[in-house]
Amino acid sequence: MATTMVNPEMTLEATGFPGVSKVHYNLLEPALVTEAVRRGEGELGRGGAMLVSTGKHTGRSPKDKFVVREPSVEDKVWWENNTPMAPESFAALKADMLEHIKGDELFVEDLYAGADPTYRLNVRMITELAWHGLFIRHLLRRPELSELATFVPEFTVLNCPSFKADPAKHGCRTETVIAISFEQKLVLIGGTAYAGENKKSIFSIMNFLLPEKNVMPMHCSANHARGDADDVAIFFGLSGTGKTTLSADPNRILIGDDEHGWSDTGAFNFEGGCYAKTINLSAEAEPEIFATTTQFATVVENMVYDPVTFQLDYDDDSLTANMRCAYPLHAISNASDTAMGGIPKNIIMLTCDAFGVLPPIAKLSPAQAMYHFLSGFTSKVAGTERGITEPQPTFSTCFGAPFMPRRPEAYGALLRDKIAEHGATCWLVNTGWSGGAYGTGRRMPIKATRALLTAALDGSLAKAEFRVDPNFGFEVPVAVHDVDTELLDPRATWADKAAYDAQAAKLVSMFSENFAQYEPYVGADVIAAALKAA
């Protein structure tokens, strides 16, 4: 069922991908589901969801990601964070992958990254798997059918899970590889079927391109008030900190759940869908996300299910704790039609503190906001990356270091300047542990987190009484309606106060040691904020 919904000048044969036996261009969701089932890539679940497994790779492989060290990017890439690949190694990898796909049946999806037409990127995704085509149709933005006849890709991703890289020949680490060439405008992915690599490769590209246009790329979710698209809130955070859950507030309009840009005119989503974690998902706590798991064409990834009834098991993490579902934004009733909003008024930095030290919410000064943004403290949660089986404290600068090609100060300066220009209010929200560290305490109650965020976004929290945190110097509310007062004071939730003090001192020391690398690049006010945490 090959289609002709493609620019005739942009076929694979015409753009340097010769010898492919059959190409499906821009199949729509029903056809992609049909093809995936026909090819044995997965099973049709309840409601027509596409049930798939990604094999041994159930999360991203950040150690296998490379940026080609080309002259045009040599002085722009943060090489301490981005493993370089020699141009000749990329050339060998490309040649071998092109040879590998000769005679194959491939799926091509031409899509947009970026809801704002001024800054969007034309992306071509070439995949071996039909369900990868379905996944990326959900996660990126879908052109009108009439636009496909003139669509010209600006970046291309070739994803071949069946290809096994050769470290000696291709300059990589293992048989798995994700390599980005900014000069060739090409991403090569091999040796992994984990679909998240597709969307995050595009995010990395946007993170490189947009700062030069004075657009702040952000690993964040975003929403705005009903009836007021200028009342925007953005939620920074790594996977597992609650970006998707907390931004899907039924009382607000969802702009997006993971990747956004902040331009001179407002915030806009890079994507056209959501990639939500389904571990412990329930109809009671998150009814709309739960409903997508039995919706036609939703990609349900790495979930255990009954082979007879196809009933999903939301609590069984035997395959991975990183079980997920991918669906288009319009599956959420309160999603924005435009995926755009005004200048952010509230900035929320989400952290998952496995130490049990940080309060559930704190108000940050602009200098403190830059300090915590550059610090990017959280805990990697189980399953998000291969080998992570329990929360591990980590510092991921800009709340997304794996996707940041440029040095963190470039993004930090953009955030600082935009906060200064527009006067956004900044909050640090801990969705991690309270009453003790991981293994002793309990996870922060979602009800309390929602109540605190509601108060922050409706302006009532700003009128509360605050105390200065003795460890970090930020302001913490003393009492908030519908929130247990003890919860607002982390030390009070610990039975052993001396143990809390020891944990707090340890965490402060970790912050201080980590931030030393940024001190030469930031102003005196940010250094002063760092010293309060020392």
Side-chain angles (χ1 to χ4, degrees), residues 194-211:
Y194 180 64
E197 300 289 9
N198 293 306
K199 83 182 215 90
K200 288 306 184 187
S201 66
I202 300 304
F203 187 41
S204 296
I205 291 167
M206 297 292 275
N207 283 336
F208 183 78
L209 299 177
L210 290 180

Side-chain angles (χ1 to χ4, degrees), residues 1-3 12 22-27 32 35 38-39 105-109 125 130:
M1 83 175 58
T3 70
L12 290 193
K22 188 175 184 180
V23 184
H24 301 276
Y25 291 100
N26 296 306
L27 293 185
L32 288 167
E35 287 296 306
R38 177 184 70 82
R39 291 158 51 89
E105 180 179 20
L106 296 179
F107 298 83
V108 173
E109 292 291 331
M125 188 72 59

Side-chain angles (χ1 to χ4, degrees), residues 382-405:
T384 304
E385 294 179 10
R386 294 187 70 204
I388 303 296
T389 57
E390 63 180 45
Q392 294 184 2
T394 186
F395 290 88
S396 184
T397 188
C398 308
F399 295 98
F403 325 116
M404 301 297 172

Side-chain angles (χ1 to χ4, degrees), residues 275-524:
Y275 190 32
K277 295 191 77 169
T278 55
I279 181 73
N280 303 134
L281 187 65
S282 73
E284 293 73 28
E286 298 172 90
E288 290 206 301
I289 297 176
F290 185 87
T292 67
T293 62
T294 53
Q295 172 182 279
F296 178 74
T298 291
V299 176
V300 176
E301 191 179 72
N302 296 320
M303 286 191 70
V304 175
Y305 56 90
D306 186 289
V308 176
T309 67
F310 290 89
Q311 178 66 48
L312 298 170
D313 191 331
Y314 299 88
D315 301 316
D316 188 338
D317 63 356
S318 57
L319 292 178
T320 177
N322 195 37
M323 58 180 77
R324 290 180 180 264
C325 63
Y327 51 88
L329 266 173
H330 61 245
I332 303 300
S333 62
N334 64 322
S336 166
D337 292 334
T338 64
M340 298 173 65
I343 300 293
K345 289 186 176 181
N346 283 280
I347 299 171
I348 293 96
M349 298 184 186
L350 298 169
T351 181
C352 175
D353 174 21
F355 283 90
V357 169
L358 295 175
I361 196 166
K363 187 178 180 182
L364 305 177
S365 69
Q368 289 169 340
M370 187 171 179
Y371 173 74
H372 284 278
F373 181 70
L374 289 176
S375 296
F377 170 71
T378 192
S379 301
K380 291 180 182 177
V381 296
T384 304
E385 294 179 10
R386 294 187 70 204
I388 303 296
T389 57
E390 63 180 45
Q392 294 184 2
T394 186
F395 290 88
S396 184
T397 188
C398 308
F399 295 98
F403 325 116
M404 301 297 172
R406 296 177 182 270
R407 281 203 58 85
E409 302 84 42
Y411 307 105
L414 269 172
L415 182 67
R416 177 200 62 210
D417 293 347
K418 290 186 180 299
I419 290 173
E421 182 179 356
H422 302 290
T425 303
C426 304
W427 307 90
L428 181 70
V429 173
N430 174 26
T431 62
W433 275 259
S434 177
Y438 171 80
T440 302
R442 61 172 181 141
R443 196 74 189 258
M444 199 71 68
I446 184 67
K447 183 179 180 181
T449 302
R450 288 192 185 279
L452 290 166
L453 282 173
T454 297
L457 299 185
D458 69 18
S460 61
L461 187 57
K463 302 172 186 176
E465 179 187 352
F466 288 84
R467 64 177 177 85
V468 175
D469 181 85
N471 298 306
F472 289 92
F474 43 50
E475 293 185 318
V476 180
V478 174
V480 178
H481 181 64
D482 283 340
V483 177
D484 182 356
T485 301
E486 184 181 74
L487 194 67
L488 296 170
D489 181 359
R491 190 173 188 271
T493 66
W494 283 55
D496 187 339
K497 311 304 183 193
Y500 171 85
D501 293 338
Q503 279 284 76
K506 180 179 179 181
L507 184 59
V508 168
S509 178
M510 289 176 64
F511 264 88
S512 181
E513 182 179 344
N514 172 75
F515 198 79
Q517 63 185 302
Y518 305 121
E519 289 186 0
Y521 306 99
V522 299

Side-chain angles (χ1 to χ4, degrees), residues 127-377:
T127 65
E128 287 185 316
L129 298 172
W131 79 261
H132 272 197
L134 179 63
F135 171 91
I136 205 64
R137 272 195 67 80
H138 291 333
L139 267 297
L140 290 185
R141 303 192 63 79
R142 300 158 287 280
E144 297 294 330
L145 296 184
S146 60
E147 296 177 293
L148 293 173
T150 56
F151 187 97
V152 177
E154 297 171 270
F155 266 81
T156 298
V157 179
L158 173 60
N159 190 328
C160 300
S162 67
F163 179 85
K164 308 300 181 187
D166 179 348
K169 184 177 183 181
H170 302 134
C172 51
R173 189 180 70 96
T174 68
E175 65 182 19
T176 300
V177 64
I178 303 100
I180 302 174
S181 167
F182 285 104
E183 287 192 359
Q184 296 189 42
K185 302 184 185 305
L186 178 65
V187 181
L188 301 176
I189 303 174
T192 173
Y194 180 64
E197 300 289 9
N198 293 306
K199 83 182 215 90
K200 288 306 184 187
S201 66
I202 300 304
F203 187 41
S204 296
I205 291 167
M206 297 292 275
N207 283 336
F208 183 78
L209 299 177
L210 290 180
E212 292 186 348
K213 300 177 181 180
N214 197 37
V215 176
M216 172 73 183
M218 303 176 292
H219 188 209
C220 72
S221 57
N223 62 27
H224 68 72
R226 287 187 179 272
D228 186 358
D230 289 328
D231 184 0
V232 170
I234 57 176
F235 302 74
F236 285 107
L238 290 171
S239 296
T241 55
K243 292 194 313 301
T244 299
T245 299
L246 295 172
S247 59
D249 183 340
N251 297 312
R252 293 175 66 86
I253 300 299
L254 177 68
I255 299 174
D257 82 324
D258 196 44
E259 303 171 4
H260 293 80
W262 181 351
S263 72
D264 291 336
T265 57
F268 62 95
N269 194 354
F270 291 169
E271 301 185 307
C274 301
Y275 190 32
K277 295 191 77 169
T278 55
I279 181 73
N280 303 134
L281 187 65
S282 73
E284 293 73 28
E286 298 172 90
E288 290 206 301
I289 297 176
F290 185 87
T292 67
T293 62
T294 53
Q295 172 182 279
F296 178 74
T298 291
V299 176
V300 176
E301 191 179 72
N302 296 320
M303 286 191 70
V304 175
Y305 56 90
D306 186 289
V308 176
T309 67
F310 290 89
Q311 178 66 48
L312 298 170
D313 191 331
Y314 299 88
D315 301 316
D316 188 338
D317 63 356
S318 57
L319 292 178
T320 177
N322 195 37
M323 58 180 77
R324 290 180 180 264
C325 63
Y327 51 88
L329 266 173
H330 61 245
I332 303 300
S333 62
N334 64 322
S336 166
D337 292 334
T338 64
M340 298 173 65
I343 300 293
K345 289 186 176 181
N346 283 280
I347 299 171
I348 293 96
M349 298 184 186
L350 298 169
T351 181
C352 175
D353 174 21
F355 283 90
V357 169
L358 295 175
I361 196 166
K363 187 178 180 182
L364 305 177
S365 69
Q368 289 169 340
M370 187 171 179
Y371 173 74
H372 284 278
F373 181 70
L374 289 176
S375 296
F377 170 71

